Amino acid sequence: MDSKTCGICGRLDGKIYPVSEAVTGKNKPPFHPFCRCADVPYYPDTPTEGMKRAARDKDGNGIEVPADMTYEEWKKKYLGAAEQSDIMDIAKTAESATMGAVTMEEVPDVHSIGKIDKEIYRCVTPDIATDEVIITDTQIKHIQERHPNDYERFSTYFNRIVSEPDYIIRANRPNTALILKEIREADEVFKTVLRLITSKDNPEYKNSIITFMKIDEKEWNRLLRNKEILYKKE
C-alpha cells in the first residue's frame, strides 16, 4: 500500500475469493496494465493477530502496518486531504488505462479501430497476442478533454495510423508503442500511444489506443531526435 495504489486495486484490498472463482482482471491480478498487485493464500484458521504487512507512508518510506489493515484504513491514517485527492486522480488515470483490459462482449462502449501488422510491432515486444485494436468511450472522452477537436477532426485516420505507422518510438511503459504518423491529405502529423496485449494478459483483451493528438513539426522533430526509434517505414 502506498500513494501510487490506484482506486481499482485499493477497493479490492483485503477481499477474499475462492480459488475456483478466480478470474484475472476481475478478482485476480493483474487488474489493469502495469498493475503491481499480488494475491496471497488465505486460510480461515490462520491467526493474524499481531502480524504485520509492508506498506509506505505518504513520503514513500517503508513501514509496517497491522496485517488486517485495509487500503481505505491506511489511506485515512497516513494521507491528508490533499494526498487523498491526488489518489483519486491516480485512480481515474488507472481506470482510463484499463481500456486495454476490456472485451468487446463485456463493455458496450468499446469501438473497433482495425488491425495492426504484428510483425511491425514486434520491435516493441515479440509477444503480441492479437492484431485487433480498440478504443473505448473513456479514452475518447480523455482525448476530447485534453486535445479539443482532435478526435472529431481526425479519428477517421486511426486505422491508418496504427496499421501503417511512419515511426514507432520507445515509450516509457512496457508493451506500449508511441506511434508517429503523417497524414498528407490532412497536412498534419500525429502522435498516438497504443497499448499492446501480450500472452500474459487476459486472452480476451485487445490492443487499445491510450491517447492521440495532433502535434507540430517542432514536437515531431524533438521526438525523433531525443527518443529511441524502434521502427521506421521504408
Side-chain angles (χ1 to χ4, degrees), residues 167-170 178 180 191 215-232:
Y167 293 91
I168 298 176
I169 295 174
R170 186 174 300 282
L178 196 164
L180 297 182
K191 179 174 73 173
I215 60 175
D216 57 23
E217 184 177 355
K218 182 178 179 180
E219 174 66 4
W220 173 281
N221 291 332
R222 186 192 70 80
L223 289 168
L224 293 179
R225 183 174 61 251
N226 297 332
K227 298 289 186 177
E228 181 183 357
I229 298 173
L230 302 178
Y231 167 84
K232 178 181 178 181

Side-chain angles (χ1 to χ4, degrees), residues 10 37 121:
C37 287
Y121 284 86

Side-chain angles (χ1 to χ4, degrees), residues 46-53 64-69:
T46 299
T48 59
E49 185 176 354
M51 295 181 66
K52 302 289 185 179
R53 64 182 297 193
E64 289 188 337
V65 299
D68 59 355
M69 175 180 277

Side-chain angles (χ1 to χ4, degrees), residues 38-58:
D39 48 11
V40 296
Y42 170 75
Y43 303 99
D45 56 350
T46 299
T48 59
E49 185 176 354
M51 295 181 66
K52 302 289 185 179
R53 64 182 297 193
R56 294 185 184 277
D57 62 20
K58 68 176 183 178

Side-chain angles (χ1 to χ4, degrees), residues 4 7 59 69 189:
K4 295 182 180 179
D59 297 318
M69 175 180 277
V189 291

Side-chain angles (χ1 to χ4, degrees), residues 144-162:
Q144 290 173 326
E145 291 176 347
R146 299 293 182 89
H147 314 288
N149 301 319
D150 282 4
Y151 178 81
E152 288 78 7
R153 294 175 61 193
F154 306 118
S155 61
T156 54
Y157 297 123
F158 280 176
N159 183 42
R160 283 176 59 187
I161 290 170
V162 299

Side-chain angles (χ1 to χ4, degrees), residues 22-34:
V23 178
T24 300
K26 290 186 176 180
N27 57 19
K28 180 179 183 297
F31 296 107
H32 54 80
F34 320 123

Side-chain angles (χ1 to χ4, degrees), residues 12 15-31 38-39 205:
L12 293 168
K15 301 293 185 182
I16 300 170
Y17 300 96
V19 173
S20 60
E21 298 177 8
V23 178
T24 300
K26 290 186 176 180
N27 57 19
K28 180 179 183 297
F31 296 107
D39 48 11
Y205 294 175

